[in-house]
């Protein structure tokens, strides 16, 4: 059994939309029980629901826009690039990470790993 | 110890260039001993030098162009998207996979996993 490709693409699109405009709980609803988050890759892996919630709660109040750039699905795994624009006062922070996710058969996220570093952050304003 | 970010980016650029225009042996030289290749993700992992060589030898005679679209490095790991254009007679096949690689401290590739599926192949001509 594999997750349906269209369902996986739908989860990815929802994830990108919600990182921009959703609540931490909205995002958490896309994750399967027992899911893990490593963002950015190389930092400690979040393995509990609370620690994942905390991660997204930190960006929830920010003024952000997001858009999916490109997604590639291979069975129950996918990689995609998205752009996240954050406005803080006069400053605009633009980051376009490449995320790698695995999914369960219902296309819920089981693992998320985000590839980016500070060198990829554009600051203007 | 971690691989140097610039060296990792250089390996990625060389990889993309050589997939387009290099020989199987040129590409193999970017891989560390004991490296593994899974292309596309979900297919059997190639674990021997010969099986990796065979993989790249199959595309060596093709008329191809390649370019790096975007790369994100996080420590000894990276994800990047590249475009590969293959011309066979009148037909043009365009594929833009997202590859995920890990590197040793000399920025040689230790694992490669390529995210794409047939649905991502554009055929024209």
């Amino acid at each position: 059994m594999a997750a349906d490709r269209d369902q996986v693409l739908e989860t990815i699109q929802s994830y990108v939309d919600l990182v921009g405009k959703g609540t931490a709980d909205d995002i958490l609803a896309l994750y399967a029980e027992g899911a893990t988050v490593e963002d950015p890759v190389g930092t400690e892996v979040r393995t509990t629901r609370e620690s994942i919630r905390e991660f997204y709660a930190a960006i929830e109040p920010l003024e952000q826009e997001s858009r999916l750039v490109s997604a590639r699905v291979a069975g129950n795994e996918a990689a995609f690039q998205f752009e996240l624009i954050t406005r803080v006062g006069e400053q605009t922070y633009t980051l376009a990470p490449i995320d790698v996710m695995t999914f369960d058969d219902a296309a819920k996220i089981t693992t998320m790993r985000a590839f980016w570093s500070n060198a990829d952050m554009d600051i203007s304003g």
Side-chain angles (χ1 to χ4, degrees), chain A:
Chain A
M1 260 302 286
D4 179 73
R5 177 184 158 81
D6 289 337
Q7 272 190 298
V8 166
L9 288 170
E10 220 171 273
T11 299
I12 291 170
Q13 185 65 60
S14 298
Y15 179 81
V16 170
D17 292 345
L18 292 172
V19 166
K21 299 273 179 230
T23 66
D25 286 327
D26 291 338
I27 301 170
L28 215 56
L30 299 175
Y31 278 96
E33 284 303 320
T36 61
V37 166
E38 184 183 356
D39 188 344
V41 166
T43 58
E44 209 185 333
V45 179
R46 290 168 190 264
T47 59
T48 67
R49 210 108 184 128
E50 295 98 68
S51 64
I52 296 174
R53 203 193 171 285
E54 179 189 60
F55 176 72
Y56 292 109
I59 61 165
E60 189 182 309
L62 299 177
E63 188 192 332
Q64 294 188 306
E65 263 172 64
S66 56
R67 70 179 182 94
L68 182 61
V69 176
S70 182
R72 294 291 176 258
V73 180
N76 276 30
E77 301 191 46
F80 61 96
Q81 186 163 37
F82 71 107
E83 189 179 66
L84 185 62
I85 300 170
T86 307
R87 290 197 181 77
V88 182
E90 298 296 298
Q91 296 230 297
T92 301
Y93 300 82
T94 305
L95 184 68
I98 296 177
D99 282 13
V100 174
M101 289 180 172
T102 58
F103 301 87
D104 67 13
D105 292 344
K108 294 246 183 190
I109 306 161
T110 48
T111 67
M112 186 277 260
R113 306 184 73 223
F115 289 79
W116 63 276
S117 74
N118 288 335
D120 302 313
M121 179 81 79
D122 277 339
I123 306 175
S124 66

